[in-house]
Amino acid sequence: MSTRERLIESTRTLLWERGYVGTSPKGIQQLADAGQGSMYHHFSGKEELARAAIDRTAEEMRAGADAQLSGPGTAPERISAYLRRERDVLKGCPIGQLTQDPDVMAASLLREPVEETFTWLRTRLATVVAEGIDAGDLSPVIDPAATAAAIVAALQGGYVLARAAGGTKPFEQAIEGILALLGAHTVR
């Protein structure tokens, strides 16, 4: 792995574990086994490096979600597969956690990929819900955009509840709850 890649991966790890403020250039350099000169050769500073790390995390999150949501099955089955996929629940969502970081939200360079990722996810889920309505799998009374927003809110809220409780049960309940609500509108 190149020095640039090690810096990005180290930043991703530290952002997820410590947040933006807790991720120091020195900590990044130590984890990446890279010197200060190497870091500043590839990036103008911490913010630019954090943006590269957030972009990478967002790309991976979108690819994983899209793979589940584009897979086989009905729309409700694909949404269920996405929501029930294996996750490190107690670590939380690496993108969702960034919304709680005031320094990330205050810097448009860092906030932008977070906002874009959640917009993409809501739009992608709304498309799957609309496909389910068109296929006759879901009742036409549900609104795809509102349903997608509720799914994302249940997922992100599930992470928060699980972390607060120190166990995965609240997350599992949030997922099962939103799937039960979706199931109430399943036609077939």
Side-chain angles (χ1 to χ4, degrees):
M1 188 182 303
S2 72
T3 301
R4 184 178 195 284
E5 289 301 307
R6 287 195 322 270
L7 288 164
I8 292 171
E9 290 304 313
S10 295
T11 304
R12 289 178 64 194
T13 298
L14 293 173
L15 284 173
W16 198 5
E17 291 174 358
R18 302 178 184 174
Y20 186 73
V21 171
T23 299
S24 69
K26 185 175 180 96
I28 294 167
Q29 293 160 20
Q30 287 175 340
L31 188 59
D33 193 26
Q36 183 176 0
S38 293
M39 182 175 153
Y40 291 104
H41 169 74
H42 294 288
F43 301 96
S44 63
K46 176 182 168 182
E47 188 174 55
E48 184 183 2
L49 176 52
R51 173 61 189 252
I54 294 168
D55 284 343
R56 174 83 49 85
T57 299
E59 288 168 20
E60 285 184 9
M61 185 176 148
R62 285 190 302 268
D66 195 48
Q68 299 271 215
L69 295 171
S70 299
T74 65
E77 290 168 346
R78 290 181 282 148
I79 292 169
S80 178
Y82 166 67
L83 292 175
R84 290 182 170 146
R85 77 180 186 186
E86 191 172 323
R87 293 176 160 83
D88 194 346
V89 173
L90 295 179
K91 279 185 80 175
C93 173
I95 295 294
Q97 281 182 206
L98 295 172
T99 65
Q100 300 302 310
D101 192 318
D103 292 305
V104 171
M105 292 296 98
S108 61
L109 182 72
L110 302 178
R111 184 184 67 250
E112 184 180 88
V114 173
E115 181 181 356
E116 287 173 357
T117 299
F118 281 119
T119 298
W120 176 89
L121 183 57
R122 288 191 317 273
T123 301
R124 184 69 183 96
L125 283 163
T127 299
V128 174
V129 171
E131 290 169 1
I133 293 168
D134 292 344
D137 296 323
L138 291 170
S139 169
V141 300
I142 62 172
D143 176 75
T147 302
I151 292 168
V152 173
L155 178 64
Q156 292 300 314
Y159 282 123
V160 170
L161 294 173
R163 291 186 78 188
T168 61
K169 188 162 181 70
F171 178 87
E172 294 159 5
Q173 289 174 323
I175 298 308
E176 293 310 313
I178 197 71
L179 288 174
L181 292 171
L182 189 62
H185 292 282
T186 299
V187 178
R188 301 184 215 171

